[in-house]
Amino acid sequence: MTNQIAFMTAAPQAAASAPTNALVDPHGRQVTYLRVSVTDRCDFRCTYCMAEDMTFLPKRDVLSLEEMDRLCSAFVARGVRKLRLTGGEPLVRKDIMVLIRSLSRHLDTGALDELTLTTNGSQLARYAADLAACGVKRINVSVDTLDAAKFRRLTRWGDLGKVMAGIDAAQAAGLKIKLNAVALAGEDGNEAEIPELIRFAHGRDMELTLIETMPLGAITADRNDQYLPLSALRARLMDQFTLVASDHDSGGPARYWRVGETGGRLGFITPMTHNFCESCNRVRVTCTGTLYMCLGQDDAADLRAPLRASESDEALLRAIDEAIGRKPKGHDFIIDRVSPRPAVSRHMSVTGG
Ligand code: SAM
Ligand code: SF4
């Protein structure tokens, strides 16, 4: 593949405000945020996310870059203003910059406010400058610990040095970074290292967001052992830090605190203990073109069939409309203490974090 995508069926959008055919669900929420998993593959095997011997999807089931562009552009045409590419690891998808460069046309027209990604950082040193050149302004980088040996154990295959080099390159390219860390209990958890992560992130002008583990997909480890409620972690952090509740709202599920000692911002995403569904403005698409209207529910719509059935976007848009008409009011996660089965059977790497 060259670095040009020879398609663009949807005309670039010029609308800066909500189009008249905006995607509004039955609960009155407008869908303005699309997260797209561009691949289920990854160069890490984080213990809370994947089993070591994952079976990945056959290539024919995965949308081509052209199909992903069409799909994203259809959502943009219907009022989506923020696009996040995720995975799996988005930067291991072959020719990913071709897609990102192509999608950046929607930034140029003003149809899209933000094009961003969530990455494990392993390939950032290579791509940071290109991402910035495509109009990407901010990215999320996932780092659960700054201890290189523990990082290797948690990710199974990851190299902390490479991730740090990626963070350096991204900042040098002018990208704003938010660090994400999953809070993990137990022997191989990271609870003891959270203070260091806070100081590191804030010392480098990065926000840090802590995430509770969610019961998504079968993994080798026991989720009950890994689950660390953020309410308990926050109480313990208050022994070391002055945390002042902040009314900052990023439009997502995080709740924020200002850390007195560092001056930085600390976010908490608590899907297990806090219900944030009322203001949900997002949907997710997997790399096979399956649309999930809620991360915590199994109801989904196949967008690949209408995408592949015709070069026109008519059937695709109809399928999107029907699906948004079924967007549920909220999720119902539980980490079941009796059954070892996950509450939702698909992995986070399939739906995209
Ligand atoms: N590979 C990229 C990365 O790690 O940033 C993007 C995909 S990853 C699935 C997105 C986010 O989901 C990461 O921050 C990861 O830590 C988080 N994640 C993965 N599995 C999770 C789980 N079971 N519960 C909570 N967060 C999870
Ligand atoms: Fe890969 Fe991200 Fe899952 Fe880790 S959390 S295995 S980096 S997809």
Side-chain angles (χ1 to χ4, degrees):
M1 181 128 187
T2 64
N3 45 8
Q4 271 290 280
I5 290 189
F7 53 91
M8 289 190 207
T9 46
Q13 285 284 300
S17 53
T20 49
N21 57 357
L23 299 168
V24 179
D25 78 5
H27 314 285
R29 300 167 299 189
Q30 191 192 336
V31 175
T32 55
Y33 182 8
L34 175 68
R35 297 164 83 109
V36 184
S37 175
V38 296
T39 177
D40 63 328
R41 288 163 202 253
C42 188
D43 51 349
F44 290 4
R45 291 288 181 280
C46 302
T47 54
Y48 52 83
C49 179
M50 292 192 184
E52 188 157 18
D53 57 339
M54 292 288 286
T55 308
F56 292 109
L57 294 159
K59 291 241 164 68
R60 65 175 179 281
D61 289 351
V62 175
L63 298 187
S64 69
L65 295 178
E66 288 84 350
E67 289 168 333
M68 287 201 169
D69 188 286
R70 262 183 74 197
L71 191 145
C72 293
S73 300
F75 275 94
V76 171
R78 300 297 302 277
V80 159
R81 307 220 35 107
K82 176 170 173 181
L83 209 50
R84 177 178 298 279
L85 306 186
T86 176
E89 173 46 39
L91 296 180
V92 303
R93 171 94 197 228
K94 189 163 178 278
D95 292 322
I96 187 63
M97 284 312 304
V98 176
L99 176 66
I100 295 176
R101 209 168 291 126
S102 177
L103 289 173
S104 73
R105 72 188 186 279
H106 298 304
L107 291 172
D108 298 338
T109 63
L112 204 56
D113 294 328
E114 189 173 1
L115 177 58
T116 184
L117 70 160
T118 300
T119 173
N120 67 22
S122 69
Q123 312 295 316
L124 256 185
R126 181 174 162 206
Y127 288 121
D130 287 348
L131 289 170
C134 287
V136 173
K137 299 265 187 277
R138 308 186 292 174
I139 55 173
N140 290 1
V141 181
S142 306
V143 181
D144 302 323
T145 173
L146 296 174
D147 174 327
K150 186 176 277 189
F151 185 86
R152 170 58 66 115
R153 284 202 297 280
L154 271 178
T155 60
R156 292 196 184 101
W157 297 357
D159 175 347
L160 183 65
K162 276 195 187 154
V163 175
M164 289 297 148
I167 290 175
D168 292 344
Q171 288 197 320
L175 296 175
K176 195 98 181 116
I177 298 180
K178 194 180 86 183
L179 286 192
N180 283 340
V182 172
L184 297 160
E187 214 174 290
D188 246 341
N190 58 357
E191 180 171 2
E193 291 133 60
I194 301 292
E196 196 190 348
L197 267 173
I198 293 175
R199 289 189 195 95
F200 167 72
H202 293 174
R204 296 274 302 258
D205 195 25
M206 298 182 282
E207 192 176 302
L208 174 68
T209 298
L210 303 173
I211 310 173
E212 259 172 14
T213 51
M214 290 178 250
L216 302 176
I219 54 170
T220 326
D222 184 336
R223 290 200 190 275
N224 288 318
D225 294 344
Q226 289 184 328
Y227 178 54
L228 171 59
L230 288 186
S231 47
L233 175 60
R234 188 168 54 227
R236 285 195 283 274
L237 285 174
M238 282 176 159
D239 293 340
Q240 290 187 51
F241 295 103
T242 315
L243 300 185
V244 181
S246 151
D247 57 7
H248 175 73
D249 182 1
S250 62
R255 295 287 169 268
Y256 292 93
W257 300 72
R258 181 66 67 182
V259 180
E261 287 72 10
T262 62
R265 198 152 49 206
L266 182 62
F268 292 83
I269 298 186
T270 54
M272 313 294 293
T273 53
H274 182 101
N275 198 314
F276 50 78
C277 303
E278 315 81 46
S279 58
C280 181
N281 62 347
R282 63 197 58 195
V283 291
R284 295 172 164 82
V285 179
T286 69
C287 58
T288 57
T290 304
L291 173 66
Y292 284 97
M293 287 71 85
C294 172
L295 180 63
Q297 302 260 359
D298 277 328
D299 187 26
D302 174 27
L303 301 183
R304 187 179 60 194
L307 254 173
R308 291 189 173 168
S310 153
E311 282 185 10
S312 141
D313 288 341
E314 211 176 297
L316 171 65
L317 289 166
R318 208 176 319 119
I320 293 173
D321 277 331
E322 277 170 18
I324 300 302
R326 304 201 303 270
K327 185 166 159 59
K329 202 163 181 185
H331 66 59
D332 185 25
F333 284 138
I334 40 162
I335 288 183
D336 196 323
R337 298 202 171 270
V338 183
S339 157
R341 278 182 301 115
V344 172
S345 60
R346 62 190 188 276
H347 288 90
M348 182 74 117
S349 54
V350 172
T351 327

